[in-house]
């Protein structure tokens, strides 16, 4: 079933790329979580929430159905994380389940390519029946946004399996956008409103162009970028080239990260360096101003330029940040980006998900209580979709994205970004990791080459690991630096081992006193993990002693 599809157009190839042939057998907590979310959520979700697909089938029936404006996103977001989790597990039952779901979804596409839940008179237009009934800040349907997520999920499935129905469905959506907003002089995607959401198809259209070489998709994507500059849209390209941070743009909500990812795809498709420079500038500004201590992103669903802002850190926001970071890692090959992905996955990603795999949070705060999204944002529930909300269909992607960045294609070899127990197989070698990482800092990697051809194994050395030791067959290597890749280029032999000993001394992120307080707060990390106070601890949090950051001592305790 694994038949990776190569792009037709790739003018500016990325520095790193996902290993298309990678196979995973992950153990430990990550393996357990992937199994849990597969059994408890992905497989039962469509039957437990039949409206996920039924809303498309009933779109022209009267009376019109009561839906949240973003209801059309649920199926696409669900499919996206299902495919990415399947890439990590290759679970045969999950693979057949996705094949069924794709067949059902693509069969619900209208003749003109429309794949949304709104009646014919309102498709890809401002205004829709029942929208005014919501006591919500947004009352316009996010119709193009819903199509975008369907396109991404279907493109991922086609990319990995060669499924022709998936690609044909995406092409019909692309043709619909071109027919409506490229070939019709008096209609613009900009006029559908909700710009940070409804301009997201630029990302999928640019990707579709790279896969097919169809010029109309590129022209439509470039048209959307031109409309970025039309108020009140986000102006992402020009603002970034002018040096503005993301939080200073007209549309600093988290959804904007998806149209911004279109700039990365357009750079690959055209080689226009303005796209690359704008994308990279915006990513760095987000890291500086809006990535929290947990690896979570945004405050109150938007960028504020303040990483200490205590607004809600929504699951969808962090997932978008991680997806954008994967694009940044591909584009630049900067190991600090992989460090950021690890931070987000182990802390915010696992933190937002119930260990059962059944539910995720809406808000995973820097300090405080985690609550299931089905309780926190229950207003999104409907009769046929009692468990569906923007976060429940998106949260598992925080784990699923690992398939994109765990191991990547390096010039003349592979780059290993993920550390954890289990095996990762590529065309060069099988890498077997024996470790308790991230609880412990020692990783033993057995390298079993698939041929006698030399290749480079590049090991990510996190920026926080200031004193890292790397030993090849017991012999220490020189020149190992924090915040870089340790490159080992050799003709590998069966039985070769690499030991990595990370620096697990505590490290800190200290916040200076705020204006109205003399209290200094600090986040304490051990390796990639943010340490947290257990609310079941017998001591009152208010009675905790002031910690001595100069000489901290840690000890492991048992539950």
């Amino acid at each position: 079933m694994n038949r990776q599809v190569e792009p037709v157009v790739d003018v500016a190839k990325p520095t790193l790329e996902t290993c298309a042939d990678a196979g995973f057998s992950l153990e430990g907590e990550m393996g357990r979580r992937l199994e849990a979310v597969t059994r408890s959520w992905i497989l039962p979700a469509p039957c437990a929430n039949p409206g996920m697909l039924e809303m498309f089938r009933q779109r022209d029936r009267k009376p019109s159905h009561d839906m949240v404006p973003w209801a059309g996103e649920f199926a696409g977001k669900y499919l996206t994380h299902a495919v990415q989790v399947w890439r990590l597990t290759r679970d045969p039952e999950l693979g057949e389940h996705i094949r069924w779901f794709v067949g059902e979804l693509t069969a619900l596409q209208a003749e003109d390519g429309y794949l949304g839940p709104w009646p014919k008179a309102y498709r890809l237009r401002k205004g829709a029946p029942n929208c005014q009934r919501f006591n919500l800040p947004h009352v316009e349907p996010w119709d193009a946004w819903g199509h975008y997520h369907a396109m991404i999920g279907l493109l991922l499935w086609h990319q990995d399996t060669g499924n022709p129905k998936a690609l044909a469905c995406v092409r019909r959506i692309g043709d619909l956008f071109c027919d409506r907003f490229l070939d019709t002089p008096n209609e613009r995607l900009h006029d559908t409103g909700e710009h940070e959401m409804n301009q997201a198809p630029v990302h999928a259209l640019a990707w579709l162009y790279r896969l097919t070489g169809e010029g109309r998709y590129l022209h439509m994507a470039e048209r959307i970028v031109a409309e970025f500059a039309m108020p009140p849209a986000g102006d992402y390209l020009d603002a970034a080239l002018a040096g503005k941070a993301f939080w200073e743009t007209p549309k600093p909500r988290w959804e904007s990260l998806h149209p911004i990812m279109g700039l990365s795809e357009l750079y690959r498709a055209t080689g226009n360096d303005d796209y690359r420079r704008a994308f990279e500038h915006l990513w760095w500004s987000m890291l500086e101003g809006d990535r929290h201590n947990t690896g979570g992103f945004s405050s109150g669903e938007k960028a504020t330029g303040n990483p200490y802002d205590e607004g809600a850190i929504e699951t969808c926001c962090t997932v978008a940040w991680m997806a954008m970071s994967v694009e940044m890692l591909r584009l630049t090959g900067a190991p600090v980006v992989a460090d950021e992905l690890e931070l987000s996955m182990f802390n915010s990603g696992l933190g937002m998900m119930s260990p059962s795999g059944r539910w995720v949070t809406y808000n995973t705060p820097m300090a405080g209580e985690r609550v299931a999204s089905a309780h926190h944002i229950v207003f999104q529930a409907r009769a046929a979709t009692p468990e569906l909300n923007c976060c429940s269909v998106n949260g598992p992607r925080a784990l699923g994205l690992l398939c994109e960045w765990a191991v990547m294609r390096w010039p003349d070899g592979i780059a290993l970004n993920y550390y954890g127990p289990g095996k990762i197989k590529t065309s060069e070698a099988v890498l077997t990791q024996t470790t308790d990482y991230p609880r412990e800092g020692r990783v033993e990697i057995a390298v079993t080459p698939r041929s006698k051809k030399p290749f480079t194994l590049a090991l990510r050395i996190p920026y926080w690991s200031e004193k890292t030791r790397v030993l090849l067959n017991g012999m220490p290597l020189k020149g190992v630096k924090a915040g870089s890749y340790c490159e080992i280029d050799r003709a590998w032999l069966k039985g070769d081992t690499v030991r990595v000993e990370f620096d697990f001394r505590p490290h800190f992120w200290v916040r200076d006193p705020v204006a109205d307080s003399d209290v200094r707060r600090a986040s304490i990390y051990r390796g990639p993990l943010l340490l947290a106070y257990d609310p079941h601890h017998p001591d009152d949090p208010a009675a905790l002693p002031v910690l001595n950051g100069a000489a901290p001592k840690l000890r492991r305790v048992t539950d």
Side-chain angles (χ1 to χ4, degrees):
M1 192 183 290
N2 182 12
R3 296 188 296 130
Q4 189 78 17
V5 176
E6 296 295 330
V8 172
V9 179
D10 213 350
V11 173
K13 291 189 177 182
T15 302
L16 296 180
E17 187 54 283
T18 297
C19 283
D21 59 349
F24 302 89
S25 180
L26 303 184
E27 300 172 1
E29 183 63 13
M30 187 60 63
R32 194 196 69 76
R33 291 293 188 106
L34 291 168
E35 174 70 11
V37 76
T38 298
R39 302 296 161 202
S40 297
W41 168 252
I42 301 177
L43 291 175
C47 291
N49 301 273
M52 187 190 299
L53 291 170
E54 196 66 15
M55 67 176 69
F56 300 101
R57 185 173 289 111
Q58 297 185 4
R59 57 186 165 231
D60 288 313
R61 295 185 183 178
K62 294 182 179 180
S64 298
H65 295 277
D66 179 17
M67 296 181 292
V68 291
W70 50 88
E73 74 174 25
F74 293 156
K77 280 186 173 181
Y78 166 83
L79 177 59
T80 295
H81 78 242
V83 173
Q84 290 180 327
V85 169
W86 177 73
R87 285 182 174 182
L88 289 169
T89 66
R90 297 298 177 185
D91 182 292
E93 183 180 2
L94 178 55
E96 287 305 311
H97 175 82
I98 296 172
R99 184 187 295 275
W100 163 81
F101 188 87
V102 168
E104 292 291 311
L105 180 62
T106 55
L108 295 171
Q109 189 172 33
E111 291 184 3
D112 64 354
Y114 182 77
L115 190 59
W118 302 100
K120 186 173 292 186
Y122 300 95
R123 295 177 184 176
L124 294 173
R125 290 183 171 88
K126 293 189 73 170
N130 293 329
C131 273
Q132 295 295 336
R133 291 167 54 186
F134 307 137
N135 183 24
L136 296 171
H138 299 283
V139 296
E140 300 294 347
W142 303 6
D143 210 1
W145 168 260
H147 282 77
Y148 161 72
H149 285 287
M151 294 172 82
I152 293 298
L154 291 167
L155 284 172
L156 285 170
W157 184 242
H158 167 72
Q159 183 185 50
D160 212 52
T161 66
N163 185 286
K165 288 184 178 180
L167 180 61
C169 183
V170 177
R171 293 196 67 155
R172 286 195 292 270
I173 295 174
D175 292 339
L176 172 62
F177 279 111
C178 292
D179 292 342
R180 282 283 300 277
F181 304 116
L182 185 64
D183 300 338
T184 305
N186 296 325
E187 287 198 87
R188 301 176 302 187
L189 184 62
H190 181 275
D191 297 333
T192 63
E194 304 298 346
H195 301 94
E196 59 267 64
M197 303 87 175
N198 285 336
Q199 289 181 333
V202 62
H203 177 209
L205 287 162
W207 184 4
L208 184 59
Y209 166 70
R210 287 201 307 108
L211 283 178
T212 65
E214 174 56 58
R216 294 177 77 215
Y217 305 144
L218 175 61
H219 296 155
M220 185 65 228
E222 292 177 324
R223 172 72 63 84
I224 297 173
V225 170
E227 293 178 1
F228 285 172
M230 299 172 59
D235 198 27
Y236 315 113
L237 178 62
D238 293 342
L241 294 177
K244 289 186 177 180
F246 175 60
W247 65 271
E248 298 176 300
T249 64
K251 294 289 185 179
R253 279 185 59 88
W254 70 269
E255 293 93 346
S256 292
L257 273 62
H258 292 279
I260 289 170
M261 281 189 275
L263 297 176
S264 176
E265 279 292 333
L266 281 169
Y267 169 68
R268 294 184 63 173
T270 67
N272 184 336
D273 202 53
D274 283 351
Y275 296 142
R276 180 195 60 79
R277 291 192 299 115
F279 179 85
E280 291 186 20
H281 173 80
L282 291 171
W283 188 90
W284 284 111
S285 77
M286 295 173 195
L287 175 63
E288 180 181 11
D290 288 282
R291 191 271 283 158
H292 297 285
N293 60 350
T294 61
F297 174 76
S298 86
S299 307
E301 302 189 16
K302 65 181 181 179
T304 64
N306 177 13
Y308 311 112
D309 191 313
E310 295 185 3
I313 307 173
E314 185 190 7
T315 285
C316 288
C317 307
T318 300
V319 169
W321 164 245
M322 294 180 69
M324 184 175 175
S325 295
V326 170
E327 293 301 316
M328 182 69 171
L329 183 57
R330 287 190 178 116
L331 203 60
T332 66
V336 68
V337 184
D339 296 342
E340 288 296 320
L341 282 160
E342 179 183 61
L343 174 73
S344 296
M345 182 184 70
F346 278 141
N347 296 286
S348 193
L350 291 182
M352 69 177 62
M353 182 177 293
S354 164
S356 70
R358 184 64 182 177
W359 55 266
V360 300
T361 65
Y362 162 76
N363 176 26
T364 306
M366 292 182 284
E369 192 174 31
R370 293 172 293 170
V371 180
S373 62
H375 296 161
H376 202 153
I377 48 176
V378 68
F379 73 90
Q380 297 189 38
R382 296 294 186 272
T385 54
E387 298 171 293
L388 297 194
N389 54 65
C390 54
C391 294
S392 68
V393 292
N394 209 16
R397 194 180 180 194
L399 306 188
L401 277 164
L402 182 61
C403 72
E404 307 282 349
W405 64 271
V407 61
M408 303 186 79
R409 188 63 57 204
W410 181 273
D412 301 319
I414 50 177
L416 181 63
N417 291 313
Y418 170 76
Y419 298 108
K423 293 182 180 180
I424 299 178
K425 301 177 182 179
T426 72
S427 57
E428 290 83 2
V430 178
L431 306 178
T432 303
Q433 298 190 50
T434 303
T435 182
D436 198 25
Y437 189 94
R439 289 190 292 188
E440 297 295 342
R442 179 169 165 172
V443 181
E444 298 275 358
I445 306 171
V447 182
T448 305
R450 293 183 180 268
S451 72
K452 297 180 179 180
K453 183 180 178 181
F455 68 89
T456 298
L457 174 61
L459 303 170
R460 177 179 62 90
I461 310 299
Y463 70 87
W464 45 259
S465 185
E466 295 180 354
K467 297 181 178 180
T468 307
R469 295 182 72 221
V470 178
L471 298 88
L472 174 61
N473 295 327
M475 298 297 294
L477 301 180
K478 296 181 180 180
V480 180
K481 296 180 180 179
S484 68
Y485 283 101
C486 174
E487 301 178 40
I488 309 175
D489 184 9
R490 64 187 263 110
W492 295 86
L493 302 174
K494 185 177 180 180
D496 280 348
T497 61
V498 178
R499 179 193 299 170
V500 187
E501 298 174 354
F502 293 108
D503 182 355
F504 263 41
R505 291 176 299 169
H507 53 107
F508 306 88
W509 182 4
V510 180
R511 179 185 182 181
D512 291 331
V514 293
D516 59 350
S517 172
D518 60 356
V519 176
R520 298 187 75 200
R521 296 182 178 181
S523 299
I524 307 174
Y525 300 84
R526 183 172 182 269
L529 295 183
L530 172 64
L531 302 185
Y533 176 83
D534 187 343
H536 300 291
H537 195 282
D539 295 332
D540 188 330
L544 288 175
V546 175
L547 300 179
N548 179 5
K553 293 182 180 180
L554 301 180
R555 63 183 177 88
R556 173 167 290 190
V557 297
T558 57
D559 186 354

